[in-house]
Amino acid sequence: MKFNRIRRLLSCTRRCVDDYNMIEEGDRIAVGLSGGKDSCALLCTLRDLSIFYPKKFEVVGITVDLGFEGSDYSETEKFCREIGVEYIVKKTTIAEIIFETRKESNPCALCAKMRRGVLNETAKEAGCNKVALGHHYDDAIDTFMMNLVHEGRIASFSPVTYLSRIDLTVIRPLSYCPEKDIEYFARQNTLPISPSLCPEDKHTERETIKQLVNSLDREYEGFKHRVFNAMHKQDISRWGKGHTIEEIKKLGMLE
């Protein structure tokens, strides 16, 4: 299957992969598929990149089924089969634990932690040495602003993170891709995107910060670009270029 309008995503992704040494020869990379546009776009981009990238690697799609009623991943399974990517669904009771058993008032942090744990364990069971997440350029800036506003902390997520407890490397290959380019790609292709079944969707602090950042970018043209450049120049959360995976492990750059 050929994807329409994927060239820009491939260009941004390859530059990011090269800048942060994300992919090595023989990697088996698990893409966390949530059902949203970002993870679907990441899967498509890495699938195409694997065809011509000089370092040979393979891609596996993994979905963590949170257990919401009405969850259906048949279209995702069909899509992965059509593009020749192995696909795994890991069923869990995370939704029941968070919303019924614990009745969490602020469920997002715990849900994300549990979901990442299951994804990482499933990736290891599938023989993967890396996990790729669909966080993009806008997500990096939003996370920086969230940490600043809510915690008074200068930090974001890192483009590459080594998890020493499980011996797994987490990469974010879409980190140079603006969300608008991902949205455009999703509109041009028939991707298996499904609406979120989580009752907290669009009602989170992250969504509030996202709207704030977009407002600042409209009022002060180039705001996002300047924040992202500052993260690079100051090497905030290892956004400065040149950290090899070996250095990350040696220096203890762990999540």
Side-chain angles (χ1 to χ4, degrees):
M1 176 185 290
K2 291 185 178 181
F3 301 114
N4 298 319
R5 308 295 183 179
I6 197 173
R7 184 171 297 179
R8 178 157 175 77
L9 292 189
L10 275 172
S11 176
C12 291
T13 298
R14 177 160 188 175
R15 185 159 54 89
C16 186
V17 165
D18 288 344
D19 282 352
Y20 296 101
N21 307 293
M22 289 183 176
I23 294 177
E24 300 168 299
E25 183 73 30
D27 279 347
R28 182 170 163 84
I29 302 174
V31 176
L33 290 175
S34 65
K37 68 182 188 319
D38 303 331
S39 59
C40 285
L42 174 61
L43 180 72
C44 298
T45 306
L46 285 183
R47 196 292 302 258
D48 274 21
L49 186 65
S50 70
I51 296 172
F52 64 84
Y53 197 64
K55 298 177 182 178
K56 299 302 179 185
F57 66 96
E58 56 182 322
V59 179
V60 179
I62 298 179
T63 293
V64 177
D65 183 350
L66 301 180
F68 286 111
E69 185 177 353
S71 298
D72 181 7
Y73 303 104
S74 58
E75 288 300 313
T76 305
E77 182 179 9
K78 177 184 176 183
F79 181 78
C80 287
R81 187 166 58 250
E82 289 175 349
I83 65 173
V85 171
E86 181 183 346
Y87 180 57
I88 300 168
V89 177
K90 186 70 172 182
K91 294 186 177 297
T92 75
T93 57
I94 291 176
E96 179 183 348
I97 293 170
I98 290 176
F99 291 103
E100 297 180 24
T101 304
R102 296 177 60 111
K103 294 182 170 60
E104 291 284 329
S105 57
N106 297 299
C108 296
L110 178 59
C111 180
K113 183 177 181 180
M114 295 178 70
R115 190 173 65 248
R116 285 196 304 267
V118 174
L119 173 61
N120 294 339
E121 290 174 3
T122 305
K124 288 292 289 186
E125 291 170 0
C128 299
N129 65 315
K130 289 179 180 171
V131 168
L133 302 179
H135 298 123
H136 48 67
Y137 172 90
D138 296 73
D139 287 331
I141 297 166
D142 293 347
T143 302
F144 173 86
M145 292 295 290
M146 280 190 70
N147 287 326
L148 180 62
V149 170
H150 292 292
E151 301 179 28
R153 189 163 59 95
I154 305 297
S156 184
F157 56 71
S158 301
V160 178
T161 306
Y162 175 63
L163 307 179
S164 59
R165 297 180 303 278
I166 196 171
D167 187 27
L168 195 69
T169 300
V170 177
I171 61 175
R172 294 174 167 93
L174 294 182
S175 292
Y176 285 179
C177 298
E179 185 173 24
K180 63 181 181 180
D181 291 341
I182 295 172
E183 290 173 341
Y184 179 69
F185 172 75
R187 288 196 302 269
Q188 297 298 313
N189 293 273
T190 307
L191 303 183
I193 298 174
S194 54
S196 174
L197 298 175
C198 176
E200 294 295 314
D201 187 48
K202 303 300 183 183
H203 301 287
T204 64
E205 282 300 319
R206 175 170 287 277
E207 183 64 23
T208 301
I209 290 292
K210 179 177 181 177
Q211 297 305 320
L212 171 64
V213 170
N214 287 338
S215 175
L216 287 169
D217 196 54
R218 288 191 296 269
E219 186 170 354
Y220 302 100
E221 186 176 355
F223 173 79
K224 290 183 182 181
H225 179 70
R226 288 190 291 274
V227 171
F228 199 70
N229 277 351
M231 290 168 59
H232 278 259
K233 290 177 181 177
Q234 300 302 318
D235 196 17
I236 292 171
S237 300
R238 305 186 296 281
W239 278 96
K241 301 175 186 177
H243 299 296
T244 66
I245 290 178
E246 289 74 18
E247 289 171 340
I248 289 173
K249 293 179 179 180
K250 184 178 179 180
L251 296 174
M253 296 179 176
L254 312 178
E255 186 172 85

